[in-house]
Amino acid sequence: MRKENIVLIGNGMAGIRTIEEILKKEPNRFTITIFGKEPYPNYNRILLSKVLQGDSDINEIILNDYDWYEEKNITLYAGDEAEEIDKKKKVVRSRQGRECPYDHLIIATGSNAFMLPLPGADKEGVIAFRDIKDTEEMISASKKYRRAVVIGGGLLGLEAARGLLNLDMETEVVHNSSYLMERQLDEPASRMLKNDLEAQGMRFHMAKDTEKILGKKRVEGLKFKDGSTLEADLVVMAVGIRPNAVLAGASGIDTNRAILVNDHMETSVKDIYAVGECAEHNGIAYGLVAPLYEQGKVLAERICAKARTGTGYQGSLTYTQLKVSGVDVFSAGTFQDEEDTKAIRVHDEFEGIYKKVVVRDNRVVGAVLYGETADSPRLLEMMKKGQDITGLGKTIILPSEQEGGEAGSLTAAMEPFETICGCNGVCKGDIVEAIQKDGLTSVEEVKKHTNAARSCGGCKPLVADLLAHTLGDEAGEGLQEEPMCGCTDLTHEEVGEEIRTKQLTLTREVMNVLHWKTSEGCSKCRPAINYYLGVAHPKEYEDDPSSRFVNERMHANIQNDGTYSVVPRMYGGVTNPDQLRKIAEVADKYDVPLLKLTGGQRIDMLGIPKADLPSVWEDLNMPSGYAYAKSLRTVKTCVGEDFCRFGTQDSIGLGIAIEKKYDRLNTPHKVKMAVSACPRNCAESGIKDLGIVGVEGAWELYAGGNGGVDLKGGELLTKVQTTEEVIDTISAYLQYYRENARYLERTSHWIGRVGLEHVKSVILDNKEERKALIARMDTALEALPEDPWKSITSNEKKREELFEQKKVEVLQ
Ligand SMILES: Cc1cc2nc3c(=O)[nH]c(=O)nc-3n(C[C@H](O)[C@H](O)[C@H](O)COP(=O)(O)OP(=O)(O)OC[C@H]3O[C@@H](n4cnc5c(N)ncnc54)[C@H](O)[C@@H]3O)c2cc1C
Ligand SMILES: NC(=O)c1ccc[n+]([C@@H]2O[C@H](COP(=O)([O-])OP(=O)(O)OC[C@H]3O[C@@H](n4cnc5c(N)ncnc54)[C@H](O)[C@@H]3O)[C@@H](O)[C@H]2O)c1
Ligand code: SF4
Ligand code: FES
């Protein structure tokens, strides 16, 4: 029987994804022929930004190489353009004279970059940014010329500008509106973006209209309508796209802005379909891959089923993320305030974080996240489902606002149906199933099996996290490591190792020697570098407060209304009438709105304005409880042998001794401990980073427990006889954790990653290493800073700098 012929015009992202979907359903039913104007196999256009930025090369962005076409028996005419569609004879004719019959014709001709029709726009050195040729031209221009101007401050323009900066060009962006990315961001987010990009070295000319392009044969500059000029050796136009519908229109297929299609991607002509940026569905021609891939799935279904099935394509909710290292931007749906909308806003100018969630009729209809975008999958899910948020608190809508903002634990808390990869519409459940069923151990494998992370790559950290979480103890050597952040290609471990081996001592030095891609780093790498430097040089390194998160800088936890909470240290959860009287007096004097007992057995004074913090600390005259820090938080104790009839050990005495010894020590994440004097475990030792349980004549130590989002029982580390052995084991364990865990990795994740047996083999079995770890811990303890509250209240300058100048806003 004759196979049916499919002809595809356009070898780009949407067309080939449609073919992939068809082949999944019907690997042998069709003879497939593809015309591609560009002389390459199918590549990832999105990652051209990364090629320009030097993070990737052209070979790495090929999605399907020539072998793939051969394996699938597909004929590809690369570099040959389809010029005519003869609907009567059902053939396509090409520029090189080929004539191909079709039973099904798919048009996926994408878009063309829009070139402003300015006088001089045809000069040498004036280009677009759309394909491999443009990218290569920019890279080669950077070797000869110095001054680049990008016209257009949208997604494409900013990604191009970042690339040109990486190529060492002086880069200016000319934008016709007063705000960058005004189609995706509101004013505050746009302002923050501009500040951060300026700090990276980009220069902006806002609200400028270009009148003409100056120069002889090659471009020499721009002239604006206000009469001013700007010199340029290279001009990149990034001012939007125009769907490529000319061939379809000339062939008698109905077009408007693009090729008109119905819910099944059918055009006005039988057996001719359109998909991708060249298609217009319900008045919208999309310019991002996620909707195009959804269309591809529908079209594959339509062609394979030989009839219309189901509801077809119903339009897409789009979202964008900017691919520029050092800035995290997310935008979806309605992002401007409207008459019938309300917004939840969080704005932290210290950490450079802005979040706005737009709500209409108790449903999330849009969001802008700047500086921290971990909440984006959950918000998208809420928007897609139209979830009623009545009664949901801010920490449910923005889970990363929870105390401590547990970086890295977000996928653990996600539901199986929640989307991990927006571009490819892949949810958590699909990925977990593939990891388990197919034994996947790397992001690359997950990519191949599920398509997740195969497009913009923005979801890679989530995929990596999910992989590590799903594999747990099995996550061994094969697990592919992710870079620390967009500012570097090095992993946490590599940066730590370089700091140690190259004896780097300052943040700036780390960034210079390790070729950081941004001049100032970002909110992910700066705190991590600061931490690694502190661990490597405990005596010499001077902590950098500007690399600390806001809570650590202010030595108090910021609350959702912009006030702070103050938690004084109560060693082992033990207090006395003097302390209680002092707390009561301070609470009265400062009208503290809420006093609350914490889970760590101390008293939290909530609702204190920032300006009052130093006076409150002074009046309390108690040490800081470090309730805000990546450090030892509390050592919870049960009453133990002195009072409890079951107690066999002095849990309070041991708990206080431990808390006094390790108090103020920097750790990769917060550390909680507990001491119970018998297996009844009243201090909840089983869910602590290190839990100690008294048994007849001995102590059992449990490691890697967690009572937070990721509930986990600790595992037995060892059983020892004396309190001295307990302390030595804690020193070895904590020091090994400090030196080997990634910054922001809780002990439960760290042990899950490296395995408890490994930790035991180092800190218990290897006597030499145990001794060395204990010695290094002692050195770190000798170098501990004085109590931070005291150091601020006794230093007028510090007090003024921190508490009387800058502004932290948290708007609700
Ligand atoms: C630098 C850059 C970064 C981007 N980043 C993102 C991002 O982060 N996220 C995101 O979602 N989207 C991003 N996009 C947009 C995304 O790449 C497009 O939406 C997507 O590539 C469109 O796919 P398509 O198949 O419709 O069109 P295309 O990928 O453009 O493919 C169409 C192909 O058809 C060919 N063609 C046209 N006419 C003919 C003809 N007559 N005969 C034969 N071949 C023809 C074209 O040469 C082209 O190769 C980015 C785009 C660029 C340029
Ligand atoms: N990260 C991403 O998702 C990403 C990255 C790059 C490109 N893309 C896609 O590629 C396509 C093209 O991107 P784009 O940024 O060119 O399109 P765009 O339409 O989103 O932005 C163009 C920008 O240029 C500005 N502009 C228009 N005319 C101008 C003029 N005369 N002078 C100065 N500025 C002018 C506009 O105000 C607008 O902000 C879009 O579909 C986009 O979604 C997406
Ligand atoms: S853990 Fe045991 S010793 Fe401690 S309070 Fe509870 S029952 Fe008493
Ligand atoms: S979100 Fe773009 S590849 Fe997954």
Side-chain angles (χ1 to χ4, degrees):
M1 207 174 75
R2 179 179 81 84
K3 283 189 177 182
E4 294 162 69
N5 287 321
I6 291 181
V7 173
L8 167 66
I9 304 180
N11 188 31
M13 298 186 74
I16 293 297
R17 176 56 69 87
T18 309
I19 298 293
E20 288 175 350
E21 296 285 354
I22 290 174
L23 291 175
K24 258 197 243 165
K25 290 172 186 292
E26 297 279 1
N28 298 310
R29 187 171 125 200
F30 301 102
T31 301
I32 301 172
T33 307
I34 301 175
F35 287 97
K37 196 157 104 184
E38 296 182 70
Y40 313 103
N42 170 235
Y43 68 89
N44 188 341
R45 192 172 304 286
I46 296 180
L47 293 188
L48 286 177
S49 302
K50 294 283 169 191
V51 172
L52 190 69
Q53 290 166 18
D55 294 338
S56 218
D57 70 35
I58 297 288
N59 294 323
E60 288 169 340
I61 69 165
I62 300 296
L63 285 169
N64 291 298
D65 58 16
Y66 288 117
D67 290 346
W68 176 81
Y69 295 84
E70 216 170 294
E71 268 165 36
K72 306 283 176 197
N73 275 324
I74 295 172
T75 306
L76 168 67
Y77 297 124
D80 193 7
E81 182 178 354
E83 269 194 343
E84 192 191 338
I85 300 167
D86 186 334
K87 343 178 255 198
K88 279 206 187 111
K89 290 193 178 151
K90 290 183 91 169
V91 295
V92 173
R93 295 192 188 94
S94 78
R95 172 159 290 192
Q96 292 180 15
R98 295 188 171 97
E99 192 169 289
C100 278
Y102 67 81
D103 299 297
H104 312 274
L105 173 63
I106 303 172
I107 307 178
T109 44
S111 299
N112 294 320
F114 177 59
M115 298 298 281
L116 292 169
L118 299 172
D122 54 351
K123 289 190 195 304
E124 236 178 57
V126 180
I127 59 171
F129 182 23
R130 178 74 196 174
D131 53 27
I132 291 183
K133 185 176 63 51
D134 298 329
T135 313
E136 285 175 339
E137 200 166 332
M138 281 188 258
I139 294 171
S140 98
S142 74
K143 296 185 179 136
K144 274 205 237 156
Y145 302 102
R146 206 165 42 85
R147 296 161 308 184
V149 172
V150 176
I151 307 184
L155 289 157
L156 186 66
L158 297 178
E159 289 181 11
R162 179 64 252 179
L164 293 164
L165 271 182
N166 287 9
L167 291 169
D168 278 340
M169 295 196 82
E170 287 169 15
T171 308
E172 322 256 352
V173 176
V174 173
H175 193 50
N176 62 353
S177 152
S178 331
Y179 298 102
L180 294 175
M181 280 178 61
E182 78 286 354
R183 291 173 190 178
Q184 291 87 13
L185 301 181
D186 64 353
E187 281 184 36
S190 178
R191 228 181 305 120
M192 291 168 86
L193 173 66
K194 182 164 171 274
N195 288 342
D196 282 350
L197 293 177
E198 275 170 344
Q200 291 189 9
M202 241 175 250
R203 291 197 290 258
F204 292 97
H205 303 265
M206 306 299 287
K208 283 272 189 192
D209 271 327
T210 312
E211 189 177 77
K212 64 175 177 179
I213 295 185
L214 309 172
K216 297 185 185 86
K217 197 164 163 236
R218 188 175 178 93
V219 57
E220 289 170 16
L222 299 184
K223 179 159 189 253
F224 300 115
K225 286 193 179 149
D226 62 11
S228 58
T229 57
L230 183 64
E231 292 183 355
D233 309 311
L234 175 74
V235 170
V236 180
M237 288 206 199
V239 290
I241 49 176
R242 296 292 177 269
N244 197 348
V246 177
L247 172 63
S251 311
I253 297 166
D254 287 351
T255 60
N256 181 31
R257 196 173 166 254
I259 306 168
L260 294 171
V261 292
N262 63 14
D263 293 349
H264 299 272
M265 311 314 293
E266 297 164 342
T267 67
S268 58
V269 176
K270 189 167 175 302
D271 297 327
I272 301 184
Y273 311 89
V275 69
E277 283 186 347
C278 65
E280 181 174 327
H281 175 263
N282 275 345
I284 305 176
Y286 294 92
L288 294 165
V289 290
L292 312 186
Y293 287 170
E294 287 177 44
Q295 295 176 354
K297 233 181 192 154
V298 169
L299 177 50
E301 175 62 29
R302 166 68 189 82
I303 290 176
C304 293
K306 296 187 182 171
R308 295 177 191 169
T309 53
T311 50
Y313 179 66
Q314 296 297 311
S316 304
L317 171 72
T318 56
Y319 76 93
T320 44
Q321 270 172 312
L322 183 68
K323 302 189 297 297
V324 169
S325 303
V327 290
D328 282 334
V329 189
F330 168 85
S331 160
T334 306
F335 59 91
Q336 296 288 15
D337 297 310
E338 292 177 8
E339 255 179 28
D340 57 346
T341 60
K342 284 186 182 163
I344 300 167
R345 290 182 170 83
V346 174
H347 191 175
D348 180 341
E349 290 184 342
F350 278 95
E351 280 194 43
I353 291 174
Y354 174 75
K355 300 179 184 186
K356 175 177 172 185
V357 179
V358 183
V359 178
R360 179 184 290 124
D361 296 334
N362 287 325
R363 285 175 168 78
V364 176
V365 292
V368 177
L369 305 178
Y370 187 86
E372 206 229 47
T373 55
D375 294 318
S376 52
R378 180 146 302 203
L379 289 169
L380 267 178
E381 211 54 45
M382 286 178 162
M383 289 164 72
K384 275 191 205 156
K385 286 198 300 209
Q387 184 181 338
D388 189 332
I389 58 162
T390 313
L392 295 189
K394 193 181 73 178
T395 52
I396 305 283
I397 297 167
L398 292 170
S400 64
E401 288 302 295
Q402 269 168 350
E403 197 253 331
E406 301 271 355
S409 67
L410 265 181
T411 58
M414 283 170 83
E415 298 288 346
F417 56 81
E418 285 186 48
T419 305
I420 294 271
C421 174
C423 286
N424 295 284
V426 189
C427 65
K428 174 179 167 178
D430 296 338
I431 298 177
V432 171
E433 195 188 317
I435 293 171
Q436 288 168 342
K437 216 172 88 212
D438 301 319
L440 312 182
T441 56
S442 71
V443 174
E444 272 315 302
E445 286 174 344
V446 174
K447 220 170 163 181
K448 263 193 211 136
H449 280 71
T450 66
N451 272 338
R454 197 172 166 220
S455 306
C456 74
C459 60
K460 252 188 179 178
L462 283 184
V463 173
D465 178 69
L466 185 53
L467 190 62
H469 193 261
T470 309
L471 292 178
D473 279 345
E474 296 160 36
E477 303 272 295
L479 195 57
Q480 200 175 337
E481 303 292 0
E482 292 300 314
M484 178 183 267
C485 65
C487 306
T488 177
D489 293 332
L490 300 175
T491 61
H492 278 266
E493 285 77 5
E494 286 164 341
V495 174
E497 183 62 22
E498 294 279 353
I499 286 174
R500 283 189 292 274
T501 52
K502 297 200 165 107
Q503 285 292 308
L504 306 177
T505 52
L506 295 169
T507 303
R508 169 99 0 252
E509 198 184 357
V510 173
M511 292 182 175
N512 286 343
V513 172
L514 304 184
H515 306 294
W516 235 241
K517 295 176 200 166
T518 54
S519 57
E520 297 301 323
C522 70
S523 60
K524 286 199 182 93
C525 58
R526 285 189 69 93
I529 295 173
N530 186 46
Y531 170 76
Y532 296 134
L533 285 170
V535 173
H537 314 291
K539 287 197 163 150
E540 303 77 14
Y541 183 65
E542 200 173 316
D543 191 72
D544 171 17
S546 71
S547 295
R548 291 267 181 186
F549 292 124
V550 63
N551 288 349
E552 291 189 296
R553 231 174 12 236
M554 308 311 287
H555 303 284
N557 273 323
I558 191 163
Q559 305 297 310
N560 59 8
D561 61 355
T563 63
Y564 286 80
S565 84
V566 167
V567 184
R569 180 78 69 195
M570 283 177 179
Y571 292 99
V574 175
T575 185
N576 58 42
D578 272 351
Q579 283 185 346
L580 293 176
R581 255 189 300 275
K582 237 186 304 182
I583 290 173
E585 279 161 15
V586 170
D588 270 345
K589 180 172 169 187
Y590 293 90
D591 260 343
V592 174
L594 181 68
L595 290 179
K596 170 99 182 56
L597 298 183
T598 72
Q601 298 183 331
R602 43 207 197 165
I603 295 175
D604 194 349
M605 309 170 78
L606 290 133
I608 298 178
K610 188 178 76 174
D612 287 345
L613 286 175
S615 325
V616 167
W617 297 338
E618 208 162 29
D619 289 353
L620 279 173
N621 195 22
M622 289 170 74
S624 161
Y626 271 71
Y628 44 80
K630 316 278 177 264
S631 177
L632 175 64
R633 293 279 175 94
T634 55
V635 182
K636 194 169 176 173
T637 62
C638 78
V639 288
E641 66 181 3
D642 283 352
F643 290 91
C644 177
R645 63 203 165 90
F646 300 110
T648 57
Q649 310 273 23
D650 177 13
S651 48
I652 294 183
L654 180 58
I656 291 176
I658 295 171
E659 194 164 345
K660 286 201 162 155
K661 186 167 171 98
Y662 302 103
D663 169 20
R664 289 173 287 138
L665 181 71
N666 277 333
T667 44
H669 209 308
K670 60 186 168 193
V671 169
K672 296 182 178 182
M673 296 197 206
V675 187
S676 301
C678 88
R680 285 173 183 77
N681 234 330
C682 294
E684 297 164 342
S685 302
I687 50 163
K688 300 294 175 199
D689 296 276
L690 196 75
I692 300 153
V693 181
V695 290
E696 230 20 87
W699 295 102
E700 286 178 351
L701 274 67
Y702 290 84
N706 192 329
V709 180
D710 221 0
L711 188 65
K712 190 170 179 299
E715 293 176 79
L716 183 65
L717 180 68
T718 184
K719 185 172 170 181
V720 295
Q721 311 298 315
T722 64
T723 50
E724 289 72 29
E725 285 173 282
V726 172
I727 298 280
D728 276 357
T729 308
I730 295 176
S731 278
Y733 169 74
L734 274 189
Q735 186 63 14
Y736 193 53
Y737 169 56
R738 294 177 77 231
E739 291 176 2
N740 289 279
R742 297 170 190 155
Y743 182 65
L744 291 188
E745 190 172 36
R746 282 296 291 271
T747 57
S748 59
H749 291 137
W750 171 61
I751 290 181
R753 184 165 62 83
V754 300
L756 185 68
E757 287 313 311
H758 166 75
V759 175
K760 280 184 181 176
S761 71
V762 177
I763 71 162
L764 302 176
D765 306 342
N766 184 337
K767 302 291 173 227
E768 284 293 296
E769 187 51 28
R770 176 181 168 97
K771 226 166 113 193
L773 284 165
I774 295 171
R776 290 203 291 278
M777 171 60 90
D778 288 343
T779 309
L781 293 175
E782 278 162 27
L784 286 182
E786 71 169 325
D787 176 72
W789 291 356
K790 198 170 225 155
S791 90
I792 290 168
T793 52
S794 60
N795 182 329
E796 238 359 91
K797 196 162 157 262
K798 259 195 201 170
R799 195 169 170 151
E800 247 176 56
E801 267 172 16
L802 268 174
F803 295 94
E804 279 149 38
Q805 283 174 4
K806 290 186 194 161
K807 193 173 97 200
V808 170
E809 264 184 85
V810 175
L811 306 171
Q812 181 78 295

